[in-house]
Amino acid sequence: GGGDQIALTVAGLPAAAGPSSVSVQIGGVLATVLEVRPAEDLVMVAVPAVTVATEPEPEPVLGPVTVSVTAGGTTQERDDLLTLHPELRIDEITPDSGSPQGGSTIKIKGVGFTAQSTVRIGGTPADLNDAGPIDGELSVKLPGIVPGRVDVIVTESGRTAVAAGGF
């Protein structure tokens, strides 16, 4: 993860504050300060990849993280501003074609799916066959759709993954 841009409201920024004079840490990792607007109490940052050391590879930190902003010799710290979510991604759809009348089962493999995930195929909601993903795979009942290649969209907690023409 990382790479998303966010805006932080920071009261009391020095009038001359700029990207080089403001420091932001997210989950203990230094973030890139993109822009500072002292008159609007605004700091724009790129969220860094926040990981915990594990073997064989570092794992992303998920959940609430502490955000610290230092400007003008003062540090403000909050742990209720930002929650990191897992990546949401569609890796494979099987089968990737079928009858537009619907009714068959398709499997969507990916990352970040939960029991609250919703699926749309060709713009039409698809019902989950199970209570949620099993081994990173959603099983859905194909709804009736228009003939031709259509998008498969998985939505989870306000995030969206799209497989353009995936079915």
Side-chain angles (χ1 to χ4, degrees):
D4 291 335
Q5 295 180 11
I6 60 172
L8 300 171
T9 301
V10 183
L13 288 169
S20 63
S21 64
V22 175
S23 171
V24 177
Q25 288 192 12
I26 296 176
V29 178
L30 193 62
T32 301
V33 177
L34 304 169
E35 184 178 355
V36 178
R37 298 183 196 162
E40 300 170 47
D41 294 332
L42 193 65
V43 177
M44 297 288 295
V45 299
V47 177
V50 181
T51 60
V52 62
T54 57
E55 293 296 331
E57 294 182 12
E59 292 288 328
V61 170
L62 303 177
V65 292
T66 301
V67 176
S68 301
V69 179
T70 303
T74 302
T75 298
Q76 299 179 48
E77 189 170 284
R78 298 264 310 262
D79 61 5
D80 61 345
L81 296 177
L82 183 63
T83 300
L84 300 179
H85 295 279
E87 175 184 14
L88 184 63
R89 172 180 91 227
I90 298 171
D91 293 331
E92 182 181 5
I93 300 165
T94 53
D96 67 355
S97 63
S99 170
Q101 282 83 24
S104 60
T105 294
I106 66 169
K107 307 269 184 184
I108 304 169
K109 289 184 183 179
V111 175
F113 303 152
T114 73
Q116 287 72 46
S117 295
T118 60
V119 177
R120 295 180 80 77
I121 300 173
T124 303
D127 293 328
L128 295 179
N129 288 331
D130 302 310
I134 298 171
D135 294 330
E137 183 175 88
L138 291 172
S139 174
V140 299
K141 181 179 178 183
L142 180 65
I145 57 174
V146 296
R149 300 304 296 176
V150 296
D151 295 348
V152 176
I153 301 170
V154 176
T155 303
E156 171 63 43
S157 300
R159 299 168 297 128
T160 302
V162 178
F167 190 87

